[in-house]
Amino acid sequence: MFGTMTTSTTAAAKPEPQAPSSSKAPRVNPAVNPDDDSDDEKWHDARSEGRPGSPPPPQANADDDNDDEPPKFTDDEIRDLLKRGDELKSQGNDCFRKSDWDGAIRFYTQALKTVPLRPQERQTKKSRPAGLSDEDEDDAGADGQNDTGDKAKGKEKANEPEEPQEAPKELTPLEKEAATARSVLNANLAACYVKQGKHDEAVRLCTEALADDPNYVKALHRRATANEALGTWTSLSDAEKDYKRVLELLPPSDPLRTSSTRSLRSLPERIEVQKKKETDEMMGKLKDLGNSVLGKFGLSTDNFKFTPNGQGGYSMNFAR
């Protein structure tokens, strides 16, 4: 007789998931000085992760709906961060006064990484897979439903009242101080990029500064001058808007009004010239594309004539 041999296997115990560390090392924040100016080649957004003084990022958790929440700090920690940031900003100011743009950029960037992050908007709706709209989400869960039912459901959704959005939360005094610090540092970085001729970066940084302080005149004026230097149709139009806003905010005696007014007067003509130039370039490219297709049939865009129809549109006529 043959005996039956049995083997037993013991499943390896799965390690318990490690909870994310709740400790938060203090982060540093810069003191606010609206007269400072400067910026960095490898500048990171004020909302980027992995900043010095910030706690380690939490481990991914599918059930955690607050993964995008900024780290929380005590009031004492925020004060420490603001103090450290102010020290770094002062070092950046010293570099800026010496025309050491790279050095100023380095210190301003370190200071910006030190101050508390800008609070992010809370999502009022639960996140869904990227690219999936409300109608797609309905279709995905309604197999076999006919088109008539889908259309009727879509109409019902269109008639539903929109959910009221939460009013912006009032910032605490410390949060306002941190917001001012971020705004000044971003504007200072923009000043450095202007000095280096990197006007697109200056525009981006000024926009970051204005996200924390929409009425920051220096950031508005700096973004306007940078957009002027870029010289495109869009950038000149944006500069015009910023100059108008600057004049609304400045007192009548401010010397900055003179240069802003002068620039604003010159912009309409420059905008029209650039608009025509870019429109002609675009139409030329479209014509070349059309000819490359029509040429296969022995035709060209010259065979199609467009004439105004008197109703704000054009009539197209074909001619050999």
Side-chain angles (χ1 to χ4, degrees), residues 235-248:
S235 64
L236 291 174
S237 299
D238 289 341
E240 184 179 36
K241 296 176 185 176
D242 282 342
Y243 279 130
K244 288 180 179 179
R245 182 58 181 156
V246 166
L247 293 176
E248 289 176 1

Side-chain angles (χ1 to χ4, degrees), residues 148-313:
T148 304
D150 291 340
K151 292 178 180 178
K153 197 166 186 178
K155 291 180 180 179
E156 290 176 4
K157 279 188 171 290
N159 294 328
E160 289 179 0
E162 294 184 0
E163 295 182 8
Q165 295 183 352
E166 294 182 8
K169 184 182 177 182
E170 182 69 20
L171 297 180
T172 66
L174 275 176
E175 288 174 335
K176 290 179 180 178
E177 188 177 349
T180 305
R182 289 191 301 267
S183 184
V184 170
L185 286 167
N186 276 308
N188 288 359
L189 283 168
C192 292
Y193 279 124
V194 168
K195 293 294 186 181
Q196 293 182 336
K198 300 175 182 179
H199 300 288
D200 53 343
E201 289 296 313
V203 169
R204 181 170 65 87
L205 287 161
C206 286
T207 301
E208 284 291 321
L210 292 166
D212 279 305
D213 184 0
N215 294 329
Y216 189 9
V217 172
K218 283 198 171 186
L220 282 166
H221 187 270
R222 195 160 291 154
R223 186 170 69 175
T225 56
N227 269 321
E228 259 200 287
L230 289 174
T232 65
W233 175 14
T234 300
S235 64
L236 291 174
S237 299
D238 289 341
E240 184 179 36
K241 296 176 185 176
D242 282 342
Y243 279 130
K244 288 180 179 179
R245 182 58 181 156
V246 166
L247 293 176
E248 289 176 1
L249 295 171
L250 285 176
S253 59
D254 195 295
L256 200 59
R257 291 185 68 91
T258 302
S259 61
S260 299
T261 301
R262 183 171 56 250
S263 296
L264 188 58
R265 287 174 179 169
S266 68
L267 279 174
E269 182 179 354
R270 292 178 62 189
I271 290 172
E272 286 302 315
V273 170
Q274 193 62 29
K275 175 182 176 181
K276 185 179 184 306
K277 177 183 177 182
E278 292 182 21
T279 302
D280 290 344
E281 290 175 353
M282 179 185 67
M283 294 303 295
K285 291 178 181 179
L286 289 174
K287 186 174 181 179
D288 292 341
L289 177 62
N291 287 334
S292 66
V293 175
L294 294 172
K296 299 176 181 179
F297 304 95
L299 301 173
S300 73
T301 54
D302 294 331
N303 296 118
F304 299 90
K305 306 297 181 182
F306 293 88
T307 56
N309 59 14
Q311 299 177 351

Side-chain angles (χ1 to χ4, degrees), residues 30-241:
V32 177
N33 182 349
D35 295 328
D36 295 335
D37 299 310
S38 77
D39 179 1
D40 182 25
E41 295 266 322
K42 295 184 178 179
W43 172 85
H44 295 287
D45 193 304
R47 294 164 290 184
S48 61
E49 298 177 356
R51 300 161 24 136
S54 63
Q59 296 180 359
N61 186 345
D63 297 329
D64 188 1
D65 293 333
N66 298 320
D67 289 341
D68 295 332
E69 286 292 320
K72 302 293 191 300
F73 298 101
T74 65
D75 288 353
D76 288 339
E77 287 176 330
I78 292 176
R79 291 187 186 94
D80 289 341
L81 295 173
L82 292 173
K83 180 180 178 182
R84 174 58 181 155
D86 185 50
E87 293 170 354
L88 290 167
K89 181 170 72 70
S90 296
Q91 291 177 280
N93 293 345
D94 292 339
C95 291
F96 191 88
R97 283 189 286 268
K98 297 175 183 177
S99 300
D100 179 7
W101 316 129
D102 290 334
I105 285 171
R106 183 170 60 255
F107 284 115
Y108 287 140
T109 301
Q110 290 175 0
L112 188 60
K113 289 179 178 180
T114 300
V115 300
L117 298 172
R118 183 185 306 131
Q120 299 177 359
E121 287 185 319
R122 299 193 174 197
Q123 297 181 353
T124 56
K125 293 185 179 180
K126 196 170 183 179
S127 60
R128 60 171 63 90
L132 188 63
S133 65
D134 288 337
E135 293 181 2
D136 293 334
E137 192 172 29
D138 292 337
D139 293 341
D143 293 337
Q145 189 175 8
N146 58 33
D147 293 340
T148 304
D150 291 340
K151 292 178 180 178
K153 197 166 186 178
K155 291 180 180 179
E156 290 176 4
K157 279 188 171 290
N159 294 328
E160 289 179 0
E162 294 184 0
E163 295 182 8
Q165 295 183 352
E166 294 182 8
K169 184 182 177 182
E170 182 69 20
L171 297 180
T172 66
L174 275 176
E175 288 174 335
K176 290 179 180 178
E177 188 177 349
T180 305
R182 289 191 301 267
S183 184
V184 170
L185 286 167
N186 276 308
N188 288 359
L189 283 168
C192 292
Y193 279 124
V194 168
K195 293 294 186 181
Q196 293 182 336
K198 300 175 182 179
H199 300 288
D200 53 343
E201 289 296 313
V203 169
R204 181 170 65 87
L205 287 161
C206 286
T207 301
E208 284 291 321
L210 292 166
D212 279 305
D213 184 0
N215 294 329
Y216 189 9
V217 172
K218 283 198 171 186
L220 282 166
H221 187 270
R222 195 160 291 154
R223 186 170 69 175
T225 56
N227 269 321
E228 259 200 287
L230 289 174
T232 65
W233 175 14
T234 300
S235 64
L236 291 174
S237 299
D238 289 341
E240 184 179 36
K241 296 176 185 176

